[in-house]
Amino acid sequence: MPPKKRSSWSPQKKELKGNLKSGSPVSSENAVLSLERHKDKEPEFVSLSEELQATDPICDHAWRIWEREIRSMDKANMPYSNRQQWGACLFIAGMELDGLNLTFTQFLKVVRLSVKQFISLVRKMDVNVDTISPKVNTALKRLENKYDVTLALYQRFVKTCEKISAEPDKAKTELWESSWTMFLLAKGTFLQMEDDLVIAFQLLLCVLEFFTKRFTPSLLQSPYKSAVSLSTLSPPTRTSRRNQGKAKTRLPEMDVQLLETLCKESDCSVDEVKNVYQTTFCAFLDSVGLSGLQGLPPLETLSKQYEELYHKNKDFDARLFLVDDETLSSSKTEVSKVEMTPRKNLSGDDVAIPVPQTPIRAAMNSIQQLRVDLTSASDQPSSNLLVYYKNCTVDPSEEIRKRVEELGKVFIKRFAQAVGQHCEGLGRKRFNLGAQLYYKVMESMLKSEEKRLSVQNFSKLLNNATFHTSLLACALEVVMATYVGNSLKSGSFGCSSGASDSVETDLCFPWILDVFQLPAFDFYKVIESFIKAEPTLKHDMMKHLEQCEHIIMESLAWKADSPLFDLLKQSREEGPGEQAEPPATLNQPLHHNHTAADLYLSPVRPSHQPPATEAEAEPPTPGTKALRSNSLSLFYKKLYRMAYLRLKTLFSHLLTSHPELEPVIWTLLQHTLQNEYELMRDRHLDQLIMSAMYAICKVKNVDLRFKTIVTAYKEMPNTNQETFKRVLIREGQYDSIIVYYNLVFMQKLKTNILQYSSPRPPPLSPIPRIPCSPYKNSPLRVPGSNNVYVSPLKSSRMTPRSRILISIGESFGSADKFQKINEMVSSTDWSLKRSLDGGSAPKPLKRLRFDMDGQDEADGSKSSGESTLIQKLAEMSSTRTRMQEQKLKEEAVKEHPEP
């Protein structure tokens, strides 16, 4: 069994390292010619280039990177030697020119760095927009993802081996070394997605079964000893006898008892592992000529085959985990990424004991929980659903059945293409789980609509193909995210805006949209209703779907062929009054009563048309025309709020000394999204945010370079470097965000941007109302009042919008009234009443709303018996608001006098 310290494995370590020698030494004559050819470079750099077998073009390109970008960097932030930095430059150049001859491990051996250290070094060198290309960044992500997954698998491999047989034994040690090598070979040969943690772990269990059953039971520990003993004593099955006559094609005998024991000890689905065994693992054994093997496969044969695969892929040699090689070392925090999860005490007491939550255990727990939640669900319509179908004017049953069947075939085919051609069975099992969730959520949605509208005929909704495809896609996305997880795929969402998506992130969102050919804007319509309709959905899945919604709003909904542009065009054709979202509504709470039915059934609804029976329209905001598209209106409301939060985050990193610029930048950004939305076609929201910030700073003579903006942007969460490195300039042409700003953004908005430098700039757009979290920093209602709230102090700075709420020179009264306010705010009774109330869940959006008559929408009560202090506050706020509005009207008249 592999012990933690493997000094006893020194022969194998020497053998493995012997395979890592980088080619023959350069002759003295060639060395002289090389020095003459590269006399403009430092001799040590040239010598390193020769060690790394870099060609002359790679050597030249790497030296240019060093001279232009790296040499002048602040060495305090770069704790690496020149040799290591030169090695990184040569790696970047070699990747860009497709000229690397060495494997990644051989490269690391020469520059004396580990995988994590090297990746960190290259990313530290990415100081400018064009230092590291998207191609190099994609390669680094692939290597890092594969390393993280392989490390997690190796850790679990060691723990499982210790449980199977803990006593040290030389033959047994070689057996485990063979099993790890076989697993690496099988994973690299038959899994196109080598960083799919769950499928790779299932394959590892198959390999462990293959080797464990070749032990004598006396060397095994419980429960594996009894499992192998039972399988040894049991007579051969009919299938095994039949296969005995087919020596050439006979599949290996699966030890069901042992495999079930391995799955139970690992909290893994037995059915799925059996499927992997019968398809992927058996196909692998057959391909390497081990199908009919009764004894042990020779380590030399396995190692030689893996050697060929490893050199072909030019990545790291994962066999070196067995010998604690320095190139694969990692800190403890990087290795474990441990979270703590409660577990019941074995003594029977109801005490929660934290246990380490490794990536594999977390994935297995999430999958198990999903299966438990769907235990009572079926992958066919329930009796309740069938009743809803029959109540329709047009029965949708047959169309729904055909659609699910056809989409299932498409899903399984694409799953196998992404993961491996022998994984159709796994794809089918995942689709069945998604179908169960699809029907479950559909039934929940219809029950909710029936209660809301008091109708049972949902013919329009249930015969809407887009609704069904979106709902099924959302259910499958939950299933896929549960299996793939995000613990080892941080930042993978950004792949959607890049030049090309790597194979490793194919199953991540928005993969499912591509599989079903579903526009992202249509998928967005179902997300919120899906979350509300599925009460068992875990917090991490809610967060995941929220992230999916953000990705749609920031880029996916703006693809060239998106239906969003058709809605915007229709809205524009109705005239200036029919805006996507009037600016006047931005500072109103984000509250709506739209359901998925409303969004799918009324993409465009004229203001004079009465509400449909299945989807009532939201009443228009007083003083504005009714919006023609509920889906467009809600989309823009959410878009504005997300855009403002992104802008505010970036602003807080860069321009805190110029607070007056924030509303100006926001006004330009809001104007662009509303009136120049074509600038978003095939682009990313963050590209407009950075461009708007740079434009306003330029016109206001504030020194802020684009390089500084990009550097701050890279530090923000969930960002991707291709957002600023690869921006659409014109059809088929991409360049950096600086080029985009100069050739596209500034040219389109030049007139509008220059207005902000004039003495009479355009009026500022209202700041969007940002809802507070129901669990943290929510506004607290003052007792004795219905519409007075106290929010936590965010900062001492006041924005122009907040100044109008402050009255200068008016007295609130005596000091005891200030004391009374403090007592009310800090009162334990009413704070605990809010948090411990056993009623319905908190409704933060409603608590932020104020009614014109003083009615609080949270409880529906009227104001009564308000104290003089509360009345005084309300009167002051109302007076100040009226004065501000009158002042704005007078200024508008002066600027635009009537003829």
Side-chain angles (χ1 to χ4, degrees):
M1 173 51 253
K4 293 183 179 180
K5 297 294 182 182
R6 300 172 186 80
S7 56
S8 61
W9 289 18
S10 54
Q12 289 92 337
K13 185 170 184 177
K14 290 179 181 178
E15 179 186 345
L16 290 173
K17 286 191 173 183
N19 294 321
L20 304 177
K21 295 179 180 179
S22 53
S24 59
V26 181
S27 66
S28 57
E29 182 180 355
N30 288 338
V32 173
L33 292 175
S34 179
L35 288 174
E36 181 65 23
R37 166 71 174 75
H38 300 289
K39 60 183 179 182
D40 59 321
K41 306 174 183 65
E42 295 188 24
E44 292 84 357
F45 175 85
V46 178
S47 176
L48 178 62
S49 300
E50 293 169 351
E51 285 186 69
L52 295 174
Q53 300 181 13
T55 62
D56 287 343
I58 291 176
C59 185
D60 293 337
H61 185 34
W63 185 252
R64 283 194 298 270
I65 296 174
W66 165 258
E67 288 279 274
R68 185 179 69 245
E69 312 285 356
I70 312 304
R71 184 194 286 272
S72 60
M73 284 183 63
D74 183 9
K75 300 304 179 185
N77 297 324
M78 186 64 72
Y80 299 95
S81 66
N82 280 357
R83 178 185 176 88
Q84 292 168 335
Q85 294 177 57
W86 288 336
C89 291
L90 287 162
F91 176 83
I92 294 170
M95 289 298 302
E96 290 178 348
L97 300 178
D98 295 319
L100 288 180
N101 293 318
L102 302 184
T103 66
F104 190 44
T105 291
Q106 291 171 329
F107 210 95
L108 296 174
K109 290 288 184 182
V110 174
V111 297
R112 302 185 186 95
L113 287 172
S114 68
V115 172
K116 287 292 187 180
Q117 289 172 334
F118 186 81
I119 292 174
S120 175
L121 166 59
V122 175
R123 287 179 175 161
K124 283 180 179 293
M125 293 167 59
D126 191 13
V127 291
N128 290 320
V129 174
D130 57 350
T131 303
I132 298 178
S133 67
K135 181 178 181 180
V136 176
N137 189 63
T138 299
L140 283 176
K141 279 185 178 179
R142 185 191 70 81
L143 285 167
E144 187 172 31
N145 286 342
K146 186 174 180 179
Y147 170 81
D148 287 338
V149 168
T150 309
L151 174 60
L153 291 167
Y154 179 71
Q155 290 175 319
R156 190 55 178 262
F157 168 76
V158 171
K159 292 178 181 178
T160 306
C161 290
E162 288 173 346
K163 290 181 180 179
I164 293 173
S165 179
E167 295 181 8
D169 179 90
K170 182 179 180 181
K172 198 164 47 182
T173 298
E174 185 172 335
L175 191 65
W176 293 133
E177 184 180 346
S178 298
S179 64
W180 177 248
T181 306
M182 175 186 276
F183 164 67
L184 295 176
L185 181 60
K187 182 168 73 80
T189 304
F190 273 77
L191 292 185
Q192 292 174 211
M193 290 185 57
E194 292 190 66
D195 68 345
D196 188 305
L197 185 63
V198 175
I199 297 179
F201 179 60
Q202 292 169 342
L203 183 59
L204 176 61
L205 293 181
C206 296
V207 175
L208 287 172
E209 183 272 347
F210 180 85
F211 280 89
T212 302
K213 67 188 177 187
R214 284 163 169 75
F215 276 91
T216 56
S218 61
L219 295 176
L220 301 177
Q221 299 188 105
S222 180
Y224 302 99
K225 177 184 294 187
S226 58
V228 172
S229 297
L230 287 173
S231 65
T232 304
L233 296 174
S234 61
T237 63
R238 182 180 301 175
T239 303
S240 64
R241 290 196 205 101
R242 183 169 59 247
N243 286 338
Q244 285 176 359
K246 302 177 183 179
K248 293 183 179 180
T249 60
R250 182 168 63 87
L251 296 178
E253 184 75 19
M254 181 198 301
D255 189 331
V256 177
Q257 182 75 22
L258 177 58
L259 197 63
E260 289 177 349
T261 303
L262 283 164
C263 292
K264 183 179 179 180
E265 292 293 304
S266 303
D267 298 321
C268 204
S269 169
V270 176
D271 290 339
E272 290 191 0
V273 176
K274 286 181 180 178
N275 186 281
V276 172
Y277 194 103
Q278 293 167 347
T279 55
T280 306
F281 185 60
C282 287
F284 159 73
L285 292 176
D286 190 52
S287 70
V288 294
L290 298 177
S291 294
L293 183 70
Q294 295 300 315
L296 292 172
L299 174 59
E300 295 76 11
T301 302
L302 294 173
S303 191
K304 181 180 180 181
Q305 290 177 319
Y306 176 75
E307 187 83 17
E308 295 174 358
L309 179 69
Y310 150 65
H311 279 277
K312 177 183 176 182
N313 294 333
K314 286 187 167 57
D315 55 10
F316 60 88
D317 187 346
R319 293 172 300 173
L320 296 181
F321 278 116
L322 294 166
V323 292
D324 281 339
D325 189 81
E326 62 275 6
T327 61
L328 299 180
S329 64
S330 184
S331 66
K332 290 184 178 180
T333 55
E334 289 174 337
V335 167
S336 60
K337 296 183 180 178
V338 168
E339 298 175 3
M340 303 305 286
T341 185
R343 183 177 64 182
K344 294 287 185 180
N345 194 341
L346 296 177
S347 65
D349 299 334
D350 193 15
V351 179
I353 301 177
V355 296
Q357 185 81 325
T358 63
I360 292 177
R361 182 174 292 278
M364 296 301 108
N365 288 345
S366 298
I367 294 167
Q368 180 64 21
Q369 187 61 55
L370 176 66
R371 290 178 171 277
V372 170
D373 293 340
L374 295 176
T375 300
S376 60
S378 170
D379 59 357
Q380 298 295 324
S382 66
S383 57
N384 290 334
L385 268 181
L386 293 175
V387 172
Y388 280 116
Y389 293 170
K390 292 178 180 178
N391 287 334
C392 293
T393 306
V394 178
D395 191 335
S397 304
E398 187 61 19
E399 286 298 318
I400 291 175
R401 186 193 65 78
K402 287 182 179 179
R403 185 182 300 108
V404 171
E405 183 179 334
E406 291 171 0
L407 292 178
K409 292 178 181 177
V410 173
F411 177 90
I412 294 167
K413 179 181 178 182
R414 291 291 299 274
F415 182 90
Q417 289 175 352
V419 179
Q421 290 301 328
H422 295 275
C423 296
E424 296 94 339
L426 287 177
R428 185 174 293 105
K429 289 182 179 297
R430 294 195 187 180
F431 182 82
N432 289 342
L433 282 175
Q436 290 177 252
L437 187 57
Y438 160 72
Y439 286 119
K440 181 183 178 185
V441 173
M442 188 197 308
E443 182 177 337
S444 178
M445 282 184 174
L446 294 177
K447 287 181 180 178
S448 178
E449 287 292 283
E450 180 182 5
K451 183 177 180 181
R452 183 173 77 99
L453 303 175
S454 299
V455 296
Q456 295 179 332
N457 184 352
F458 297 103
S459 185
K460 288 185 179 179
L461 179 65
L462 292 179
N463 282 282
N464 187 298
T466 305
F467 163 72
H468 284 289
T469 305
S470 301
L471 184 60
L472 180 57
C474 195
L476 284 166
E477 178 57 34
V478 170
V479 172
M480 299 302 290
T482 301
Y483 274 84
V484 175
N486 53 16
S487 60
L488 297 177
K489 290 184 178 289
S490 178
S492 64
F493 289 119
C495 70
S496 61
S497 62
S500 61
D501 302 341
S502 65
V503 172
E504 284 68 28
T505 57
D506 269 353
L507 296 185
C508 294
F509 187 80
W511 177 78
I512 191 65
L513 302 186
D514 181 57
V515 171
F516 287 171
Q517 293 296 292
L518 179 66
F521 183 72
D522 287 331
F523 180 82
Y524 137 83
K525 298 175 189 177
V526 83
I527 293 176
E528 187 171 333
S529 292
F530 188 99
I531 293 174
K532 292 177 180 178
E534 179 45 52
T536 64
L537 205 61
K538 298 300 177 285
H539 177 73
D540 60 335
M541 281 300 107
M542 293 183 189
K543 196 71 177 174
H544 174 75
L545 291 179
E546 181 186 17
Q547 288 179 309
C548 293
E549 186 179 70
H550 288 174
I551 297 166
I552 291 171
M553 291 190 293
E554 72 188 13
S555 62
L556 295 183
W558 302 98
K559 296 295 183 183
D561 57 351
S562 172
L564 174 60
F565 288 101
D566 293 332
L567 284 177
L568 287 167
K569 183 180 179 181
Q570 294 173 17
S571 177
R572 178 65 61 89
E573 289 173 352
E574 296 296 331
E578 296 294 340
Q579 300 173 13
E581 176 63 21
T585 67
L586 293 183
N587 56 4
Q588 296 176 359
L590 180 58
H591 176 74
H592 65 91
N593 61 359
H594 298 312
T595 62
D598 190 27
L599 299 182
Y600 283 101
L601 295 178
S602 56
V604 177
R605 173 178 297 156
S607 56
H608 61 270
Q609 179 178 328
T613 57
E614 294 178 29
E616 297 179 343
E618 182 179 294
T621 304
T624 66
K625 289 186 68 177
L627 299 175
R628 290 189 178 273
S629 170
N630 290 322
S631 57
L632 182 61
S633 172
L634 183 58
F635 178 85
Y636 256 80
K637 280 183 179 180
K638 291 185 175 183
L639 173 69
Y640 283 150
R641 283 158 176 80
M642 185 181 74
Y644 175 69
L645 285 175
R646 294 269 184 92
L647 171 63
K648 192 174 183 67
T649 302
L650 189 60
F651 189 93
S652 66
H653 286 86
L654 297 168
L655 293 168
T656 53
S657 58
H658 297 278
E660 72 283 356
L661 294 185
E662 182 185 308
V664 182
I665 299 171
W666 165 245
T667 300
L668 174 60
L669 179 61
Q670 191 270 331
H671 165 82
T672 306
L673 291 172
Q674 178 177 306
N675 300 300
E676 303 293 346
Y677 53 81
E678 282 292 334
L679 287 174
M680 280 292 295
R681 192 181 291 270
D682 280 334
R683 297 190 180 99
H684 194 289
L685 174 64
D686 292 348
Q687 293 162 357
L688 266 65
I689 292 175
M690 288 185 277
S691 297
M693 179 174 287
Y694 182 79
I696 293 301
C697 288
K698 198 78 172 174
V699 81
K700 293 289 188 180
N701 295 318
V702 174
D703 184 22
L704 181 65
R705 300 181 180 182
F706 235 129
K707 176 182 174 181
T708 308
I709 296 176
V710 166
T711 301
Y713 177 77
K714 287 193 297 184
E715 300 302 318
M716 292 172 61
N718 298 321
T719 58
N720 187 283
Q721 70 159 352
E722 293 189 5
T723 304
F724 54 84
K725 289 192 174 185
R726 192 174 186 274
V727 189
L728 177 66
I729 307 301
R730 56 181 63 90
E731 186 177 358
Q733 180 184 350
Y734 294 82
D735 214 312
S736 70
I737 191 171
I738 299 173
V739 177
Y740 163 74
Y741 173 83
N742 289 328
L743 298 184
V744 182
F745 187 88
M746 191 265 290
Q747 299 299 328
K748 186 71 173 179
L749 294 168
K750 183 187 298 183
T751 303
N752 185 271
I753 293 171
L754 291 176
Q755 292 180 35
Y756 295 98
S757 64
S758 67
R760 293 178 179 273
L764 300 179
S765 297
I767 300 298
R769 181 76 165 268
I770 307 299
C772 295
S773 166
Y775 310 106
K776 183 179 179 182
N777 293 333
S778 298
L780 304 179
R781 185 161 62 91
V782 177
S785 71
N786 293 313
N787 61 352
V788 178
Y789 294 79
V790 179
S791 295
L793 182 64
K794 296 292 195 308
S795 67
S796 59
R797 178 176 67 82
M798 293 183 180
T799 64
R801 179 170 171 268
S802 62
R803 287 196 189 98
I804 68 173
L805 301 178
I806 305 300
S807 177
I808 306 299
E810 295 187 40
S811 172
F812 284 102
S814 58
D816 60 328
K817 290 190 175 181
F818 284 99
Q819 182 63 31
K820 185 176 180 180
I821 293 175
N822 289 333
E823 291 173 355
M824 287 190 295
V825 173
S826 60
S827 170
T828 305
D829 294 336
W830 67 280
S831 297
L832 287 177
K833 183 179 179 181
R834 288 185 76 246
S835 60
L836 299 179
D837 187 9
S840 59
K843 301 179 179 179
L845 297 180
K846 287 189 175 182
R847 290 186 181 276
L848 290 172
R849 298 187 68 176
F850 295 81
D851 187 79
M852 296 293 292
D853 301 325
Q855 180 181 0
D856 179 41
E857 294 184 312
D859 52 20
S861 62
K862 288 281 185 179
S863 172
S864 60
E866 287 184 331
S867 66
T868 305
L869 171 64
I870 302 303
Q871 292 177 358
K872 181 75 173 177
L873 287 170
E875 292 170 2
M876 288 168 55
S877 176
S878 177
T879 301
R880 177 61 60 182
T881 302
R882 288 199 303 271
M883 291 173 60
Q884 185 69 17
E885 291 176 351
Q886 182 63 30
K887 183 178 179 181
L888 292 173
K889 290 180 181 179
E890 291 174 357
E891 291 178 353
V893 171
K894 290 179 182 179
E895 293 179 8
H896 305 286
E898 296 182 1

